[in-house]
Amino acid sequence: MHVRVLGSAAGGGYPQWNCRCAVCALAWDGDPRVRPRTQSSLAVSADGATWFLLNASPDIKQQILQNPPLQPRADGRHSPIAGVILTNADLDHVAGLLTLREQQALILYATAPVLAVLAANPMLAVLDRPDIRRHALRPNQAVSLQGPDGRHCGLAVTPFAVPGKVALWLEETAAATAEDTIGLLVQADGAGRLAYIPSCAAVDATLRQRVEGAALLLFDGTLWRDDEMIRAGVGGKTGRRMGHISISGEAGALACWSSAEVERKFFLHINNTNPVLIEGSPERRQVEAAGWEIACDGQEFRL
Ligand code: MLT
Ligand code: MN
Ligand code: ZN
């Protein structure tokens, strides 16, 4: 199985267009200890020819430019992208769907509540076409990914509910459900398992069991500490309020995953205020000492 990190930053990307917090300032000033990152997305493929996006970031066009396997190969209209699997309805995970609207056959996988909010959004009616199929994912039920033509593509995906919350833009109108935020286990025949969990509010025993034995864990690294955005003076919300566990702290990701049997562990969906973005920072060193790595755009894995 081929895995590519298309975007490793949280919503807003790194640096964020309107931010000069201490961490963003380094990127704007060209400091070599940091590198720019686009917004949260992954691409997976069994054969390197047909790809599925795990989330569709607003930066998808830039990500296609940076990742040649995702570029059109046949004359006329063509894309190696067969479909998109969504882990929630957050803007950084769905806004790229608008870019995928140009008469391209696709299949869209998401839980029923996420498909429902997309269907209710008039702007996304551009995707209401017979050649754009939808498939409702049910937690704990494995699906064999199909292309829009019904062909099986050699990847099995098992979605599972994770502690999270309804998308920010839906907070006023939608009731929270257990299927608002999912993680994905992805596996090709005979290959190691990928666990992809870009948004997660807490890590409990059930989640740890699910991920046990995975070859690769790509996990929510939004914030280093819960009140980081408030301390940086760029926002009023804590990580908890946004449905994101912090990396550090007693109930943080490092502590909760410390005994997990996983071959490689990476943080992604990293917010622009997070000091782990800075190579050599004390926080980055702490993450590395705990056996974690920081994902970056363009990174490739073979499982
Ligand atoms: C999040 O990860 O909390 C969301 O992407 C926030 C947002 O919609 O900007
Ligand atoms: Mn996000
Ligand atoms: Zn910033």
Side-chain angles (χ1 to χ4, degrees):
M1 176 165 73
H2 303 248
V3 180
R4 268 181 184 251
V5 177
L6 303 184
S8 52
Y14 176 69
Q16 179 170 309
W17 71 279
N18 63 344
C19 194
R20 225 184 131 77
C21 70
V23 187
C24 282
L26 296 175
W28 294 124
D29 295 343
D31 191 300
R33 290 172 299 166
V34 296
R35 51 170 108 177
R37 288 170 152 85
T38 62
Q39 295 171 78
S40 183
S41 179
L42 224 65
V44 293
S45 171
D47 59 4
T50 300
W51 291 82
F52 287 85
L53 304 183
L54 308 187
N55 293 317
S57 142
D59 299 322
I60 186 165
K61 172 66 184 299
Q62 183 182 342
Q63 294 168 344
I64 291 171
L65 281 167
Q66 288 168 347
N67 290 277
L70 301 183
Q71 297 170 6
R73 275 194 306 273
D75 290 342
R77 292 282 164 87
H78 173 265
S79 173
I81 300 169
V84 181
I85 307 162
L86 300 172
T87 61
N88 60 19
D90 280 349
L91 276 175
D92 54 348
H93 287 160
V94 304
L97 292 175
L98 286 170
T99 302
L100 299 177
R101 72 189 177 281
E102 313 281 2
Q103 299 180 41
Q104 182 67 42
L106 286 172
I107 181 159
L108 213 57
Y109 292 90
T111 60
V114 169
L115 287 177
V117 298
L118 299 183
N121 187 310
M123 223 184 264
L124 284 164
V126 291
L127 298 178
D128 289 345
R129 303 165 37 88
D131 56 356
I132 301 190
R133 294 172 53 203
R134 271 116 175 126
H135 182 104
L137 294 175
R138 292 195 188 84
N140 310 324
Q141 290 194 15
V143 292
S144 163
L145 293 187
Q146 295 176 20
D149 55 1
R151 199 172 54 84
H152 287 266
C153 298
L155 292 174
V157 168
T158 309
F160 53 92
V162 296
K165 70 165 205 42
V166 71
L168 188 61
W169 62 280
L170 291 166
E171 280 183 354
E172 304 292 317
T173 52
T177 81
E179 296 180 21
D180 290 327
T181 308
I182 56 171
L184 303 171
L185 289 170
V186 188
Q187 192 165 25
D189 276 350
R193 257 181 316 143
L194 159 71
Y196 175 58
I197 312 171
S199 277
C200 184
V203 178
D204 55 18
T206 315
L207 183 53
R208 273 194 297 267
Q209 263 165 22
R210 256 191 201 292
V211 169
E212 198 73 24
L216 180 60
L217 168 62
L218 301 176
F219 186 74
D220 185 345
T222 308
L223 300 179
W224 171 254
R225 54 183 289 164
D226 194 50
D227 60 355
E228 173 180 313
M229 290 175 62
I230 299 166
R231 288 161 70 103
V234 298
K237 285 185 185 165
T238 61
R240 221 169 273 132
R241 169 69 186 79
M242 297 186 296
H244 295 292
I245 189 176
S246 297
I247 295 178
S248 67
E250 261 171 46
L254 290 182
C256 291
W257 287 112
S258 62
S259 60
E261 294 289 333
V262 175
E263 278 171 43
R264 285 185 86 181
K265 305 189 287 279
F266 285 80
F267 285 113
L268 45 53
H269 190 281
I270 302 162
N271 196 60
N272 59 78
T273 49
N274 192 331
V276 300
L277 290 167
I278 309 165
E279 268 173 50
S281 68
E283 296 83 358
R284 175 74 155 259
R285 284 205 298 266
Q286 206 172 313
V287 160
E288 288 166 351
W292 285 79
E293 298 170 71
I294 301 297
C296 58
D297 291 19
Q299 200 157 26
E300 291 177 71
F301 305 96
R302 288 293 284 273
L303 302 182

